[in-house]
Amino acid sequence: QELLIKKIDNLKSLKSKYIEGKNPFILTLKIIDYKGYSQNIIFNLNSEIKASIGDAIINESGIIGTVQSIKNNNLSVKALSDPSSHFAVVSKRTGQHFIAHGLGYNNLIELKFVSDNEDIKEGDIILTSGMGDHLPHGLQVGTVTSVDIPPGAAFFIVKIKLFSQPG
């Protein structure tokens, strides 16, 4: 019980760090449906918590995704790993910005258009960048697991394993 109280206090302190209009939800929600490749998750939301379309849903490990719709206290959340998910990220080590997109499997995302002069390597921590008005800055996304360049390709293929695993 003491460990649970510490986790709740930690989540409450994290929630207070974000500005109005970009507040991520930091709470435990019950997953009631999870569709494989499409990576949409239905969460059951208790009625005292207010959510809006576009809000970030995170847990203690990092960001899960964003609210796409709300109906009858159910949140439909598009996971970061959804193939139609595109968002701005930043390397914690170098501060370089990238565009990421979901791959639809294994809690993986990929960085797009990474040229050979970019400083990115396995083990780098990736965070949300806050660029645009989509996600707040500094939410943990994942760790770079591979950096490859296929023969004749113009860009690296950079894969990231998400910290938060909703399914």
Side-chain angles (χ1 to χ4, degrees):
Q1 184 175 357
E2 188 175 312
L3 180 61
L4 180 60
I5 291 170
K6 281 184 179 180
K7 281 188 173 188
I8 290 170
D9 289 343
N10 184 41
L11 293 176
K12 285 179 182 176
S13 72
L14 287 172
K15 186 174 181 181
S16 67
K17 292 181 180 179
Y18 296 95
I19 59 171
E20 186 67 31
K22 285 193 169 187
N23 286 345
F25 284 90
I26 304 172
L27 49 111
T28 303
L29 301 168
K30 180 182 174 190
I31 298 174
I32 59 174
D33 191 20
Y34 181 71
K35 307 268 190 241
Y37 182 74
S38 70
Q39 306 289 297
N40 287 314
I41 310 152
I42 306 297
F43 288 96
N44 183 262
L45 180 68
N46 73 41
S47 60
E48 58 198 50
I49 298 171
K50 302 300 178 207
S52 300
I53 292 173
D55 284 345
I57 301 295
I58 69 173
N59 64 17
E60 65 277 354
S61 300
I63 184 166
I64 296 170
T66 56
V67 176
Q68 299 300 298
S69 67
I70 304 166
K71 184 177 181 182
N72 300 328
N73 287 337
N74 289 330
L75 299 178
S76 176
V77 175
K78 182 194 301 184
L80 295 184
S81 54
D82 185 281
S84 67
S85 185
H86 295 79
F87 51 98
V89 295
V90 62
S91 167
K92 184 176 182 180
R93 181 177 62 84
T94 66
Q96 287 181 294
H97 290 258
F98 303 98
I99 300 295
H101 72 99
L103 294 177
Y105 61 90
N106 292 341
N107 278 348
L108 290 173
I109 61 172
E110 188 174 84
L111 298 183
K112 297 176 80 168
F113 312 116
V114 180
S115 65
D116 61 359
N117 65 347
E118 305 282 354
D119 183 10
I120 188 95
K121 61 184 182 179
E122 288 183 30
D124 280 355
I125 304 296
I126 303 299
L127 309 171
T128 55
S129 72
M131 299 289 284
D133 200 29
H134 185 60
L135 296 170
H137 171 75
L139 298 178
Q140 293 189 112
V141 174
T143 303
V144 174
T145 58
S146 66
V147 179
D148 298 308
I149 189 157
F155 300 106
F156 283 116
I157 296 174
V158 180
K159 293 195 176 164
I160 298 161
K161 182 74 169 178
L162 297 173
F163 286 133
S164 187
Q165 300 184 7

